[in-house]
Structure formats: structure tokens, C-alpha cells
Amino acid sequence: MSAAPAPSSPGEAPKGLAHAEPSAGPSQPGGLSRAAPTSGAAAGAPAEGTVPTATYDPTISPTAVARTLADEGTPAAYLEIVRLINNLPDGPERRAALVAATKLDNPATAALLFETVRVSGDPELVQSAQISLGSMTNEGVVWLTVALFRGTEDVAQQERLLGVLRHGRQPVFVAPLISVADQSSDDPTDPLAVAALDTLGMLGTTESIGYLVDRLNSAARSGQETAALAAALGRVVAPSALSTLTGIAAGQSPSAQMEARVAAARALGHYPLSDVEDALNSILQNESDPRLINAAQEAMDLAAGRVPADFTGTP
């Protein structure tokens, strides 16, 4: 399975993207800029005893202002959104502004978004920045996240940066996520690798599923740890992946190990019952391995709404 080449060092960004490190540096038009500390407003943390002055027209709906600024998507526009959010009381308008702040797809704004993730004291602003970064159609987001994670020993910052990976929703992330997972393939507990595997499962593309199945089959054959890989495959929810998962669960591939079949069967529980009932019933009626039968029954119960959805369990 091919993947994008990894940077040769944590600070080296591929394809002309700017060097990523937790220190000040100039922005790089056309790529992702250094994630550098700039202003308190950017991180949602105004100076003590002060409230940032709003520069938007107070006669216009804050929701409309936030959406207009998000459409603009520039660093200056993001600063305005943060000022707006900081000045709004908790309520529908603030929540709408936070949603608008998740829709910035401008690489020039990435540095401010990363700053918010790293140092903001507002959990809602942090989550909006994580979602916005994870929605960018730029694979450099993955490499900047990895570089910043490796560049700090602050556990809280590391957890927030892992949140960027876990919010990854763009197919362009698949190749770099595979590279991240491969770099730590010998350590199944590595936080970056676990986050990369989980996100590959949630993305559910043909490439990401193929990678997870190949890794899972290989690990099972060699007696290596399979829990993280199986859990990642079991998280697939993409509608386009349904036929692939059904085939894996049914054992249509002679090389499929039981661990992969069990994980795929579990994933079927995330789909509408009408789409998976026949496949799951076939497993329940015709298979003999108790692990596969139990996974199919759990998936049936989940698809039927008899148990709450749980993406954190392991096979």
C-alpha cells in the first residue's frame, strides 16, 4: 500500500509546506505556516481583565457576521470570529459562531488554528479549531500536527493535537496517516499511531480499509498485537465502504484472517439494519467461530437500536 513520504525529520514539511515547530516564524502563502504564538485573541485567551473589542457592526446578526467571516477564511477574518465568540454570551448565537469557525479551509489560517488548539482556555474554541483543521483539504495538516506533537512534552497539548488527527475528514489525509501509522508499526501503543489508525477507520476509503485489513491480516498471522487495528476497522462508518465490509465479514477473501472478519462484522453494526441484516444473518446461521458469531450478534443488536453506539470498544 503506497503512502505519502514522511518528512525526514519532525520539523520538515513535505511538498513546499512551511517548516513546522512550536516557535515563532513567518507565514508562508500557498502552504501551511508555522504554528507560532501570536496574539491572545487568536487563542481565545484575552489578557486578564480585558475583553477584546469587537470590530464588526453590532447592528448585524452575529450569526451572519460569523458566517461571512468564515467564508472569507483569512487569518484576519478568523481573529474577528474569535473576538466575536469571546464577546457573545452562551447561547444560540455563540454556538452558531463556533460552528462557523469550523469551516475555514485556508492554509494561511492554519497557524492561528493550531495556536488555538495548543493554548486556548476555551474547550469549545479548541474543538472548533480541531474540526476546522481536520476539514482542510491539505495533507500538510497531518505533518504539522505530528511535528507539533513531537515538539512538546506538554501532555495536555499533545492530547489536543491528537484531536486534530481524530477530526480528520478529508481523503487527502489517508496517505500521510498511513505513513504515520507505519512509522510506529512496532509500537501498538504509540498515541500518534493509534490516532492515525482510528482516523483511517473513520475515513473508510478503499485505500484506508485495504491498509487496515492488510496490516490486521499480517499482524494476526505473525502473532502480533491486533487490538488497535481491529478497533480501527470496526469504526468504519462510510456508506461507500458497506460492500467492502460485507465481503470481508463474509470471508470472500481466502487470505482474510478471522480477526479481520470479526472487525468487519462489528463495523456492520453502524449501518442501517435493512442494509446489513441479510449479511449478518448469514454469519449467524452458517459460521462456527464464536468470535465471529458474537460480533455479528452485537452488530445486529446495534443496527437494530437495541444497544447504544460505542466506537471505543475493542473486539
Side-chain angles (χ1 to χ4, degrees):
M1 189 71 58
S2 61
S8 59
S9 65
E12 182 184 343
K15 297 186 179 179
L17 296 181
H19 184 69
E21 61 185 12
S23 59
S27 63
Q28 304 289 329
L32 298 185
S33 58
R34 297 175 190 240
T38 53
S39 66
E48 185 175 354
T50 68
V51 176
T53 302
T55 58
Y56 57 88
D57 185 342
T59 65
I60 302 175
S61 161
T63 299
V65 171
R67 289 173 178 167
T68 298
L69 291 169
D71 288 341
E72 182 179 339
T74 63
Y78 178 62
L79 290 174
E80 288 293 326
I81 293 176
V82 172
R83 292 189 184 100
L84 173 62
I85 291 170
N86 285 339
N87 278 279
L88 287 172
D90 188 31
E93 289 184 333
R94 189 176 194 272
R95 289 193 290 273
L98 286 163
V99 170
T102 67
K103 304 181 184 300
L104 299 154
D105 189 13
N106 182 351
T109 311
L112 293 178
L113 290 167
F114 271 112
E115 182 187 353
T116 298
V117 169
R118 291 164 55 208
V119 303
S120 174
D122 185 335
E124 292 179 317
L125 265 178
V126 170
Q127 185 178 49
S128 73
Q130 290 170 330
I131 295 172
S132 194
L133 287 164
S135 300
M136 284 190 174
T137 52
N138 191 319
E139 69 174 35
V141 168
V142 174
W143 295 124
L144 282 171
T145 302
V146 170
L148 291 168
F149 180 95
R150 291 174 175 165
T152 181
E153 296 181 358
D154 186 317
V155 175
Q157 279 196 29
Q158 289 180 335
E159 285 297 321
R160 292 176 174 204
L161 289 164
L162 291 176
V164 175
L165 293 186
R166 294 184 185 279
H167 281 93
R169 293 297 178 266
Q170 294 295 339
V172 73
F173 284 10
V174 169
L177 286 170
I178 288 175
S179 290
V180 172
D182 279 342
Q183 288 173 9
S184 301
S185 59
D186 294 333
D187 181 6
T189 65
D190 178 75
L192 282 171
V194 172
L197 292 172
D198 286 348
T199 305
L200 286 167
M202 294 300 293
L203 285 167
T205 67
T206 301
E207 183 181 8
S208 66
I209 293 175
Y211 172 79
L212 292 173
V213 170
D214 288 348
R215 280 278 308 271
L216 184 51
N217 285 336
S218 176
R221 283 192 295 267
S222 60
Q224 296 176 341
E225 176 62 45
T226 61
L229 291 161
L233 184 59
R235 287 184 174 86
V236 176
V237 296
S240 60
L242 178 57
S243 61
T244 301
L245 291 171
T246 301
I248 296 169
Q252 292 178 358
S253 171
S255 63
Q257 298 293 299
M258 184 53 65
E259 287 79 359
R261 295 186 64 191
V262 168
R266 287 180 183 277
L268 292 178
H270 305 316
Y271 293 84
L273 180 62
S274 59
D275 293 339
V276 299
E277 189 171 17
D278 289 346
L280 292 173
N281 274 328
S282 178
I283 292 173
L284 293 172
Q285 294 167 9
N286 300 313
E287 297 291 342
S288 59
D289 191 297
R291 294 173 296 170
L292 184 58
I293 293 172
N294 289 339
Q297 186 60 62
E298 290 173 9
M300 186 78 81
D301 292 341
L302 179 58
R306 292 190 286 267
V307 293
D310 179 8
F311 293 91
T312 62
T314 57

